[in-house]
Amino acid sequence: MYKGKTNVNATTIGQTSKIDSLILRLMDPYLDMGHCLFMDNYYNSFNLSKKLLDRQTHTTGTLRNNMKGNPKQITKKKIKKGEHVWKQKQSVYVSKWKEKRDVLCITTKFQPSMVLTKNRFGQEKVKPVEISKYNEYMSGIDRADQMVNYYSSPRKTLEWYKKVLFHLLDITIWNTFYLYKNIFKCYDMSFKEFRDLIIKIFLQISPTVTATDLFHLKNKKNRKQPNEAPDDKHYQEPIPVPENFKRSKCYNILK
């Protein structure tokens, strides 16, 4: 999404990429205070880590393999499962660790080393300290992104704001599910079940109704007697198709 032109002090940021300038602008009130910033591989780079370190701000996170400034001795090195390699340049560490796949990481806060960690099931495992710390502080954000992508509403559109609107709606639903699950202790409910429940409530449909039941209800509605009370529920109705239309019928939810 285009972020627009910004009047940022060039002497503060210098010659940076758009992503770097965005991070530096957002972090401007918190620089020079000794904070540690955790980011995923969309934002991290050697140049950004060095610039933030010069402003007394540490960075830790995953790193894309093709980012400018990456040490080729690390990115191109073939390693076995469980192996951990790293290289330091100007107080910036770039490491690679292999579990199921290669994981590239960058940090200015932790010197790469293997530490004993526990997962949420209490199982002990040896991991690099930079990955352990990244998981500790980034797991919630990564989890949200992961779940939103599983059930994504946005579709291709010429109007970019529509995609943004539906993405924000997806995030809102995930946040609602997270709060609902933790407040009411409904740990057995899946995110998909929660989304389906919201849809049924908005359409004034019983939570126990299935998709097959809806089609039966629709047929029953069409066979109502003249004196029967009007139904206030929502059902699928075919959208009228133009003449010589070659595609299959589309359906729209109407009363």
Side-chain angles (χ1 to χ4, degrees):
M1 189 166 63
Y2 179 57
K3 71 184 182 69
K5 292 183 180 179
T6 55
N7 297 321
V8 183
N9 190 344
T11 58
T12 303
I13 292 182
Q15 297 297 321
T16 62
S17 68
K18 290 182 179 179
I19 293 296
D20 290 2
S21 65
L22 173 65
I23 299 301
L24 291 168
R25 179 163 59 87
L26 292 174
M27 284 296 295
D28 188 59
Y30 310 101
L31 298 176
D32 303 311
M33 297 181 184
H35 289 301
C36 187
L37 178 63
F38 292 85
M39 300 180 288
D40 65 20
N41 60 25
Y42 182 78
Y43 303 98
N44 275 316
S45 68
F46 175 84
N47 291 333
L48 179 59
S49 292
K50 187 66 178 66
K51 287 179 185 294
L52 287 170
L53 188 59
D54 292 341
R55 299 294 304 274
Q56 300 178 38
T57 304
H58 288 287
T59 54
T60 299
T62 51
L63 183 66
R64 292 190 179 183
N65 199 57
N66 59 351
M67 294 300 290
K68 188 177 180 180
N70 286 356
K72 293 183 180 179
Q73 303 96 314
I74 299 299
T75 56
K76 292 188 175 182
K77 186 175 180 63
K78 302 292 183 182
I79 59 176
K80 298 177 181 178
K81 185 176 180 179
E83 195 174 351
H84 181 226
V85 294
W86 57 272
K87 185 174 177 62
Q88 178 189 4
K89 182 181 177 183
Q90 300 178 22
S91 301
V92 179
Y93 297 94
V94 174
S95 65
K96 181 191 278 189
W97 176 63
K98 186 165 187 175
E99 189 180 29
K100 293 181 181 177
R101 58 182 179 82
D102 290 346
V103 180
L104 203 63
C105 202
I106 189 168
T107 181
T108 60
K109 177 67 175 176
F110 312 99
Q111 180 175 342
S113 61
M114 301 299 286
V115 295
L116 189 65
T117 63
K118 284 186 178 181
N119 62 17
R120 59 195 178 103
F121 302 109
Q123 299 170 333
E124 292 186 341
K125 197 167 191 179
V126 176
K127 285 185 178 181
V129 62
E130 62 273 23
I131 291 176
S132 174
K133 292 296 182 181
Y134 172 77
N135 290 339
E136 182 180 347
Y137 290 101
M138 282 291 288
S139 59
I141 301 299
D142 279 352
R143 177 68 170 163
D145 289 342
Q146 177 186 2
M147 297 306 295
V148 166
N149 286 330
Y150 283 156
Y151 309 107
S152 178
S153 299
R155 296 293 180 267
K156 247 184 192 177
T157 173
L158 294 176
E159 293 84 5
W160 62 268
Y161 56 85
K162 289 185 179 180
K163 191 168 185 178
V164 173
L165 175 66
F166 281 108
H167 180 64
L168 292 174
L169 179 62
D170 283 342
I171 294 173
T172 302
I173 293 174
W174 166 254
N175 290 342
T176 307
F177 169 66
Y178 185 85
L179 291 172
Y180 177 81
K181 184 174 68 170
N182 284 276
I183 291 172
F184 294 100
K185 313 300 180 186
C186 299
Y187 299 119
D188 293 335
M189 177 179 283
S190 69
F191 185 39
K192 182 178 182 301
E193 290 170 342
F194 182 78
R195 287 175 63 99
D196 289 344
L197 183 60
I198 287 179
I199 292 170
K200 288 175 181 177
I201 289 172
F202 271 107
L203 297 180
Q204 301 175 28
I205 296 170
S206 170
T208 58
V209 171
T210 64
T212 306
D213 295 334
L214 288 178
F215 282 104
H216 288 311
L217 288 169
K218 171 184 174 293
N219 293 332
K220 181 182 176 183
K221 172 203 168 197
N222 292 337
R223 294 194 300 268
K224 281 195 302 186
Q225 300 300 320
N227 296 329
E228 192 175 348
D231 194 347
D232 61 349
K233 303 296 186 294
H234 301 262
Y235 305 100
Q236 287 188 332
E237 294 286 356
I239 299 173
V241 292
E243 218 175 306
N244 302 322
F245 191 72
K246 295 182 180 179
R247 295 184 187 176
S248 59
K249 287 184 181 180
C250 296
Y251 285 86
N252 191 13
I253 294 183
L254 301 169
K255 275 193 176 182

